[in-house]
Amino acid sequence: MRQLQLSIFSLLFFFLHPSLSSSPQPQSLQFKLHRRGPVGPHRAPHLNPLFLSDLRRQHWIRSTIKRNLESSKSYRPACHQSTSEAFEMPIGSGAYTGTGQYFVRVRVGTPAKPFLLVADTGSDLTWVKCRRHTDSMKEKGNGDGVRVFKPEKSSSWRPIKCSTDLCQKTLPFALATCPTPDSPCVYDYGYSDGSRAQGLFANESATITLSSGKKTKLHGLVVGCTTNSSGTSFTSSDGVLGLGYSATSFASLASSLFGGLFSYCLVDHLAPRNLSSLLTFGPTISSSLIPSTPRVTPLILDSRLTPFYSVSIKCISIDNETLDIAPEVWDISSGGGTILDSGTSLTVLADPAYKAVVSALSRKLAGLPQVQMDPFEYCYNWTSVGTELHVPKLTLHFEGAARLEPPSKSYIIDVADGVKCIGFTSAPWPGTSTIGNILQQEHVWEFDIKNRRLRFEHSKCQRH
Ligand SMILES: *[C@@H]1O[C@H](CO)[C@@H](O)[C@H](O)[C@H]1NC(C)=O
Ligand SMILES: *[C@@H]1O[C@H](CO)[C@@H](O)[C@H](O)[C@H]1NC(C)=O
Ligand SMILES: *[C@@H]1O[C@H](CO)[C@@H](O)[C@H](O)[C@H]1NC(C)=O
Ligand SMILES: *[C@@H]1O[C@H](CO)[C@@H](O)[C@H](O)[C@H]1NC(C)=O
Ligand SMILES: *[C@@H]1O[C@H](CO)[C@@H](O)[C@H](O)[C@H]1NC(C)=O
């Protein structure tokens, strides 16, 4: 559902700006949603909501980076345990619900209950929809049964007290409210559409299945429990799985226990619900999904970009021709840089890069009949395109000679029947670029936090 994404990303904004959560509508959340030209005769049915949520997310990314620049806090991971064990969770496209997100199935609590969470490398908080027996939150069906976490039924549930250092110093989205030292650490956020949600943090466990087939528990996770929400926001998933790089994220804890790395393979973003791949913590699985010669580039864990994972682009080429883009665009210290984000759908390029890429691609496609399809700048009537048409080949060249050569469907994307659009959006310069999940699809991505490197390779993401 479209509003779900708005909620998630605007609430993330609130998490990071707890001081704003008491004022109902921070100005920065008020976007002009159709800022690129008038609404055309054809509306992209599934991508408009994506774009909308992407916009909000880009704002959130910019404000996070700004906040990081202003503070000197940075996360240093604990020692990584060496292990040959791994665990994995199914991950698939949420397109069947109309979102541009990927969903992971995660089992939370004791006994373990399954939840469908948005896999988000741009988020450092994991939370689930939750109901305490005293609450009167209305349960809304999401098409396949109501999944609401009931903390009183979980023997591993331990609310985090508001008097703890964890609440007061580490969880930046926690409220300062602390009536008694034993009161729970709470968060409170508002949505862009005026709805609100409230929750509390707890120390909780998740049940995982090791590669050996053995089930075990992951203890000491920080899990947010949303106890009260109003509005229609949370209807297609049960919460968020925080895969970002920070002290309390699920990814940091799980990867520190499993070899210091995690990976995911994203199926086509329009794949049906029954096609899923794997999110893996630990080393072994990559051997079955990553062929022997993956591409490798440094994984930049820069405190200025926390909790995001960042990569260094050297250049972009189209049909072997290097585009003329100023190197500052790819340089974090010059206000640029690039993050890899599973929670953003369309790839966002800082304006100088956007202009160069889109004009080169559109020049190559100049013979095709154009259609207007808000919010994209270039869309084409593809119905009469024969197989002989040469689709320009886009290549991202990373530091360390690794090249990403996405399939053309990842950047000239299907937007409506017979209509394809150049699938990039622009971000103001100076600013960060974001490699979104559509450009990442049909590749396996391994985030090797311990060795600070990113490995990737083309894969159909079929499970064995
Ligand atoms: C969670 O609880 C376990 C056991 O009660 C404890 O060892 C651990 O330190 C706690 N972790 C956090 C983040 O509070
Ligand atoms: C939940 O939200 C509703 C409306 O926003 C409010 O009336 C109610 O008091 C809230 N419940 C709790 C437990 O905070
Ligand atoms: C997935 O579902 C589609 C119908 O929606 C069906 O045609 C296909 O065979 C299913 N694939 C698998 C792997 O179950
Ligand atoms: C790009 O270079 C490769 C290898 O040099 C060549 O095979 C390919 O035909 C070139 N593509 C274009 C569009 O020039
Ligand atoms: C694309 O062109 C075909 C005829 O060539 C036309 O029938 C169709 O309506 C066009 N589609 C759009 C979206 O303009």
Side-chain angles (χ1 to χ4, degrees), residues 319-320 390 393:
D319 284 345
N320 298 344
H390 167 72
K393 175 136 201 65

Side-chain angles (χ1 to χ4, degrees), residues 188-221:
D188 179 357
Y189 49 83
Y191 303 105
S192 53
D193 64 356
S195 54
R196 288 181 80 84
Q198 298 153 344
L200 52 91
F201 292 106
N203 183 339
E204 184 47 294
S205 305
T207 296
I208 55 175
T209 306
L210 298 175
S211 39
S212 60
K214 196 177 147 230
K215 281 204 170 76
T216 187
K217 278 194 183 280
L218 214 52
H219 296 289
L221 294 166

Side-chain angles (χ1 to χ4, degrees), residues 437-454:
N437 61 33
I438 297 179
L439 207 64
Q440 294 175 49
Q441 70 187 355
E442 295 192 347
H443 282 74
V444 58
W445 299 88
E446 184 186 77
F447 296 76
D448 185 342
I449 295 168
K450 186 176 161 191
N451 299 305
R452 299 195 169 215
R453 60 179 193 191
L454 178 75

Side-chain angles (χ1 to χ4, degrees), residues 158 166 203 220 222:
R158 309 242 185 297
L166 184 64
N203 183 339
V222 172

